[in-house]
Amino acid sequence: MQLAIVIMAAGKGTRLKSRRPKVLHQIGGRALAEHVIAAAAQVVEPKDIYVVIGHEAEAVRAALRHTGVRFVVQAEQRGTGHAIQTAKPEVEGYENLIVLSGDAPMIRTETILRLRDFHLEQQAAMTVLTTRPADPTGYGRVVRKAAGKPEVIAIVEQKALKPEQLSAPEINSGIYAFRAEPLFKHIGELSTDNAHGEYYLTDMAALLVKAKERVVALETADVHEVLGANTIAEMMELDAEMRMRKAQALMAEGVTIFRPETSVIDSTVTVGADTIVEPFVQLLGRTKIGSGCRIRSYSVIEDSTIGDDVLVRNGSVIGSSLIAKNALIGPYSHLRPESEIGEGAHVGNFVETKKSRLGAGAKANHLSYIGDAEVGAGTNIGAGTITCNYDGKGKHRTTIGANVFVGSDSTLVAPLAIADGSYIAAGSTITEDVPADALALGRARQTTKPDWAKKMRSRK
Ligand code: UD1
Ligand code: CA
C-alpha cells in the first residue's frame, strides 16, 4: 500500500499573537511541527512526508529541513482544504493519505497506525479521527449517521453549529485518512461559502457522502493527543502534559523526581536510575545524567553530560559542559560552554567557568572566574581567584599544573603558565610564568605602624 502523510503547517496562528510561526513554537523543548514529524516518521519514510508551509515558509523550512521531509508551499493560506489542494500535484499518485495538523503535537504513532488500519478495514474514502474533550467549544463537530455507528454525515465548524448542536460532544481532531482518488476527484467542489471565507477540508465529509463515498469516524480516548495548540495557554497545557509523561517515564526507570509537576525535562534528556531530581529543576536539550546523582532545586542544565554520583547543589546553571563522576557543583555555580570538570572535582558557590578544564580532585570552591584555563589534578584555587583571560582585544589561556596552591584573591593575568606543585601567595597579581615547586608573590609588602590608629584618634 502506497501511503503518504501530509502535515498542514502553513497557517499563521493568529490566535497566538506572536511573530514566530505557530508550528515553530515549542513544547517539551521541540517545535510543534517536529513532534508531529517524529510521530509520522515512525509510520512512513521522511520522503513520503509532505509538510505544507506558507506563513514564514523559509523560516519553517530551515527549522524542519533536518528531518528529511518534503515541503509544499501554499503561498496564500486559503484554508485547510486549499492546503490539500495545493499538495495535490505531489501526492495524488499515492493510494492513501493521512493528513495531520502541524499544531496538534501530541499525536502518537500508535494512533496514526490505528487510524490507517481502521480506514483500510472500513474501505472508507475518508476517515476522521475524533474525541470528546471536556469542553468542545471552538472545534468542528462530527455528525454521525447514528450514535455508535461509524458512518459520518458531515463535519460542522463551530461558527456554523445550530443552537441544538452547540453542546455536541464529539469533535473533529483535524486528523484524517483519505483515499487519494475520491479526495482529489471531489476536492475541486469545495467552496468558500462559510464564516471564514476559506476552503474547509472538513467539508469533504459532506461532499464525499453526497458522492456516495464512505466516510467514517474513529474515536480516540486520549484527548490530549488530538488537541490543537491554538493559544499560548493551550500550548502550555500540552507542554505540562508532555513533560509529566516524560517525568513518569523516567520514574518508571528508577529516577526519583520530587514534585514532578514542577520539573521541566525535555523529551531528549536521559537520566540514570537512582538519581534524585528535586523540585523546580530544568533538564534541557541533549543533557545526559548518570545514576546516583542528586540535582538540587533551581538548577538549569542544558546540553551537558554528567557522570554518576554527582551532586549539583541548588541554583546552578550548567550549559554544554562535561562533569565527571563524583564531582560536586554549586550551590550557585555557573558552568558555561566547554567546561570540563574532572572526577571528584569541586566547583563551589559563585564560581564561573568557561572553556576550562579542571583535573580530577581540583577545587575552586568560592567566588572565582576560571575562563580559557587548564587546572591540573589536585590543584586548589583559592576564594576570589580570577583568570584575566581578556586584554580588551583577544582571549588568552592560563595553564595551571597539578597540585598547585593558588592563594585567595589572586589575579592571574593570561597568557600564563603556573607549573606543578607551586604556590601563589594570597592577593597576588601574577603576570609571569611560575616554575614548578616555586613560591610566587606579586603584591606589596605589608607595613605596620604601631600606635598609629590610637594617635590619629587622640588628635581629634
Ligand atoms: C481545524 C478544523 C476543525 C477541527 C480543528 C482541530 C477546519 C476548517 N477546521 O480547525 O474542524 O476541530 O482543526 O484542531 O479544518 N493550515 C494550512 N493552510 C491553511 C490553513 C491552515 O496549512 O490555509 C494549517 C494550520 O497551520 C494548522 C492546521 O492547518 O496547522 C489547522 O488549521 P487551523 O486554522 O488551526 O484550524 P482550526 O481552526 O483549528
Ligand atoms: Ca488548530
Side-chain angles (χ1 to χ4, degrees):
M1 183 204 56
Q2 271 253 70
L3 179 70
I5 296 183
V6 181
I7 301 174
M8 300 184 292
K12 181 161 187 269
T14 315
R15 287 164 281 184
L16 289 182
K17 302 194 169 61
S18 161
R19 259 175 306 175
R20 201 159 9 128
K22 175 173 19 179
V23 295
L24 295 189
H25 274 257
Q26 292 195 341
I27 67 164
R30 266 208 293 197
L32 299 183
E34 284 179 298
H35 288 286
V36 181
I37 291 170
Q42 306 276 327
V43 179
V44 298
E45 298 285 317
K47 67 170 174 52
D48 295 318
I49 299 176
Y50 295 81
V51 181
V52 182
I53 56 176
H55 176 69
E56 295 277 354
E58 289 324 301
V60 177
R61 189 199 297 268
L64 302 180
R65 203 193 314 267
H66 69 97
T67 60
V69 298
R70 302 188 202 228
F71 296 96
V72 173
V73 178
Q74 183 195 14
E76 233 186 302
Q77 293 90 57
R78 299 166 68 193
T80 47
H82 181 250
I84 300 304
Q85 267 172 347
T86 309
K88 180 182 171 198
E90 312 286 334
V91 299
E92 63 186 339
Y94 290 89
E95 222 169 297
N96 286 282
L97 302 179
I98 285 174
V99 175
L100 305 177
S101 232
D103 71 343
M106 303 285 280
I107 186 70
R108 286 177 310 149
T109 299
E110 295 92 292
T111 305
I112 302 175
L113 291 172
R114 248 184 85 212
L115 175 69
R116 178 196 68 187
D117 295 345
F118 186 77
H119 173 71
L120 295 175
E121 253 166 54
Q122 290 284 323
Q123 303 194 329
M126 175 178 184
T127 303
V128 46
L129 185 70
T130 72
T131 195
R132 292 165 197 262
D135 179 10
T137 310
Y139 289 95
R141 291 333 136 73
V142 174
V143 184
R144 296 197 188 224
K145 212 175 209 172
K149 285 268 158 40
E151 291 86 357
V152 166
I153 299 174
I155 303 173
V156 184
E157 288 304 291
Q158 171 77 31
K159 287 197 173 152
L161 289 172
K162 298 200 184 81
E164 68 272 20
Q165 290 176 314
L166 283 171
S167 58
E170 190 173 15
I171 66 145
N172 166 27
S173 66
I175 293 169
Y176 320 86
F178 287 100
R179 208 161 65 239
E181 190 268 325
L183 168 68
F184 290 122
K185 185 169 163 200
H186 296 287
I187 200 166
E189 296 160 29
L190 288 177
S191 83
T192 57
D193 182 18
N194 54 51
H196 290 108
E198 289 184 349
Y199 295 100
Y200 289 168
L201 186 58
T202 47
D203 287 345
M204 285 312 300
L207 280 178
L208 288 167
V209 169
K210 203 177 91 197
K212 302 272 184 296
E213 295 285 354
R214 185 169 169 76
V215 179
V216 297
L218 172 68
E219 185 177 335
T220 169
D222 184 350
V223 171
H224 281 107
E225 195 175 359
V226 300
L227 291 190
N230 296 307
T231 62
I232 304 267
E234 281 175 10
M235 238 183 256
M236 291 306 100
E237 250 173 69
L238 296 181
D239 180 81
E241 172 66 22
M242 191 170 272
R243 293 187 187 284
M244 183 52 86
R245 287 181 189 190
K246 174 69 183 180
Q248 272 159 357
L250 290 174
M251 289 192 278
E253 298 293 318
V255 180
T256 298
I257 305 177
F258 287 101
R259 303 280 308 274
E261 72 280 10
T262 67
S263 65
V264 177
I265 305 178
D266 285 354
S267 47
T268 40
V269 168
T270 63
V271 184
D274 295 313
T275 282
I276 297 170
V277 178
E278 294 190 357
F280 297 101
V281 162
Q282 297 194 36
L283 305 177
L284 308 174
R286 286 159 295 146
T287 293
K288 288 185 171 32
I289 295 183
S291 60
C293 296
R294 188 173 189 110
I295 313 297
R296 309 211 67 162
S297 295
Y298 311 114
S299 291
V300 180
I301 305 176
E302 187 164 11
D303 294 333
S304 295
T305 301
I306 297 185
D308 296 340
D309 301 310
V310 168
L311 170 61
V312 177
R313 291 202 180 107
N314 305 50
S316 297
V317 177
I318 300 172
S320 304
S321 292
L322 214 72
I323 300 173
K325 64 178 178 189
N326 287 314
L328 213 152
I329 310 296
Y332 313 110
S333 300
H334 188 188
L335 272 52
R336 290 170 50 207
E338 295 179 53
S339 295
E340 269 185 62
I341 311 303
E343 198 178 319
H346 292 185
V347 178
N349 35 208
F350 308 107
V351 173
E352 174 182 346
T353 64
K354 185 217 75 176
K355 267 195 185 169
S356 290
R357 202 151 65 193
L358 261 69
K363 289 179 186 158
N365 271 329
H366 332 268
L367 304 159
S368 285
Y369 173 61
I370 301 170
D372 301 300
E374 173 92 32
V375 177
T379 285
N380 186 79
I381 305 286
T385 296
I386 306 287
T387 55
C388 308
N389 60 330
Y390 185 54
D391 60 11
K393 275 190 183 149
K395 298 279 168 75
H396 304 284
R397 290 196 66 79
T398 301
T399 311
I400 304 175
N403 301 312
V404 171
F405 181 90
V406 179
S408 294
D409 201 22
S410 292
T411 304
L412 309 176
V413 182
L416 185 66
I418 297 174
D420 293 353
S422 56
Y423 256 69
I424 307 297
S428 292
T429 297
I430 302 294
T431 55
E432 288 163 22
D433 289 356
V434 178
D437 300 317
L439 167 68
L441 293 116
R443 65 182 188 216
R445 184 173 286 280
Q446 179 171 334
T447 316
T448 307
K449 299 185 175 175
D451 293 330
W452 182 92
K454 202 163 130 196
K455 283 180 207 151
M456 191 264 297
R457 277 194 298 272
S458 65
R459 248 186 270 133
K460 279 193 182 160

